[in-house]
Amino acid sequence: MNNMLEKLEENIDYSFKNKELLMEAMSHSSYINERKINKTACNERLEFLGDAVLELASSDYLFKKYGDIPEGKLSKMRAALVCEPALYECSKAIDLGNYIRLGKGEEAGGGRNKPSVVSDAFEALLGAVYLDGGMEEARKIILRFILTESQIEQAHISDSKSYLQELVQAHMKSSLVTYKTISESGPEHDKEFVVAVYIDEREYGEGTGRNKKAAEKAAALHAIKLIKNKLIETE
């Protein structure tokens, strides 16, 4: 197991001074319970700490990067970035599931691929790094694997229609945003929709998705990028 954890250290580009912290971060409660070890030896306390570290780092990042976005939108973006499904996807970059110590029952039940188990372990890992190396080392990992460009884009997509409306109202004379389905293809169980977004009667972008709602969100994101680029050009 120690050799495996050395590989995890390589994956995150951080070497622990206190290896016990890393061991604890990777110890699921099922593993601890099965071996009748003290309950506090599982990763739940580190998860609690890592959750706070992640929230602070992501809040600081979003606050500084998006000075034109109101509090409500920032909160939604943060929630989208640190939610269980998002952390689970981010964990795949470091192959985190393979390093968690699980009890036999949890192992047999596919615990290594459960978003709840893996996302909790990721937060525990951040808590361990924070205790071992401080906030800046934890922040480096958060920026490298969680606050990535693709994850930020997904966070925008999660509420892109509302954000586009806010952007249009703040920076353009019109407030009329409409969506039109351009095409619909594929069998019933695997549809693909293409939707265009218009501001007044001018098209500002297209998006595709498995349903109209997803396609509209993707189209809104394209419009947001176009508008923000134009705003930068006029500064």
Side-chain angles (χ1 to χ4, degrees):
M1 188 66 186
N2 287 336
N3 289 338
M4 288 186 65
L5 292 183
E6 286 178 9
K7 178 60 177 175
L8 177 57
E9 288 180 309
E10 291 179 15
N11 291 352
I12 64 174
D13 194 24
Y14 179 79
S15 180
F16 278 81
K17 295 181 285 292
N18 181 356
K19 305 297 183 182
E20 292 299 318
L21 281 171
L22 180 56
M23 293 283 281
E24 183 179 330
M26 292 300 101
S27 297
H28 187 258
S29 58
S30 63
Y31 177 88
I32 298 302
N33 292 337
E34 193 174 272
R35 285 158 179 75
K36 296 181 171 56
I37 305 172
N38 190 316
K39 178 69 173 176
T40 58
C42 76
N43 64 9
E44 291 174 355
R45 283 170 51 83
L46 286 175
E47 174 204 336
F48 164 80
L49 181 60
D51 175 69
V53 170
L54 176 57
E55 182 162 327
L56 176 58
S58 57
S59 298
D60 179 69
Y61 176 84
L62 294 172
F63 181 85
K64 291 175 179 176
K65 184 174 178 65
Y66 299 104
D68 60 335
I69 295 181
E71 178 273 335
K73 173 62 179 178
L74 289 175
S75 294
K76 290 178 180 178
M77 286 183 67
R78 182 182 62 196
L81 285 165
V82 304
C83 67
E84 181 181 292
L87 288 181
Y88 177 65
E89 286 303 312
C90 294
S91 74
K92 294 177 182 178
I94 57 175
D95 205 17
L96 187 61
N98 281 342
Y99 302 104
I100 304 172
R101 300 197 293 180
L102 299 171
K104 293 178 181 178
E106 190 65 46
E107 181 82 64
R112 295 191 187 283
N113 296 311
K114 287 183 180 178
S116 59
V117 172
V118 180
S119 63
D120 286 352
F122 206 156
E123 289 182 333
L125 177 62
L126 295 175
V129 172
Y130 169 76
L131 289 177
D132 192 73
M135 186 65 189
E136 287 311 307
E137 292 298 334
R139 192 191 308 274
K140 288 177 185 177
I141 293 172
I142 292 168
L143 290 173
R144 190 179 306 131
F145 299 110
I146 298 174
L147 301 180
T148 63
E149 185 176 335
S150 62
Q151 290 299 112
I152 295 289
E153 184 171 294
Q154 287 300 314
H156 274 306
I157 289 176
S158 70
D159 196 34
S160 58
K161 291 178 67 176
S162 296
Y163 180 45
L164 175 60
Q165 189 70 52
E166 293 169 4
L167 203 60
V168 169
Q169 290 175 342
H171 298 285
M172 302 176 71
K173 293 180 179 179
S174 173
S175 62
L176 181 61
V177 179
T178 57
Y179 298 86
K180 179 181 178 181
T181 301
I182 302 300
S183 66
E184 176 182 337
S185 59
E188 284 300 322
H189 68 281
D190 192 23
K191 289 280 189 182
E192 180 175 271
F193 293 85
V194 178
V195 170
V197 58
Y198 296 83
I199 300 173
D200 285 339
E201 296 183 358
R202 179 182 173 185
E203 182 178 327
Y204 268 72
E206 292 185 359
T208 61
R210 295 300 183 187
N211 53 57
K212 289 183 181 180
K213 185 176 181 180
E216 288 176 355
K217 287 183 176 182
L221 183 63
H222 287 171
I224 289 167
K225 290 180 178 177
L226 179 61
I227 293 170
K228 290 180 78 69
N229 286 338
K230 287 186 175 182
L231 291 174
I232 292 172
E233 291 172 1
T234 57
E235 287 181 351

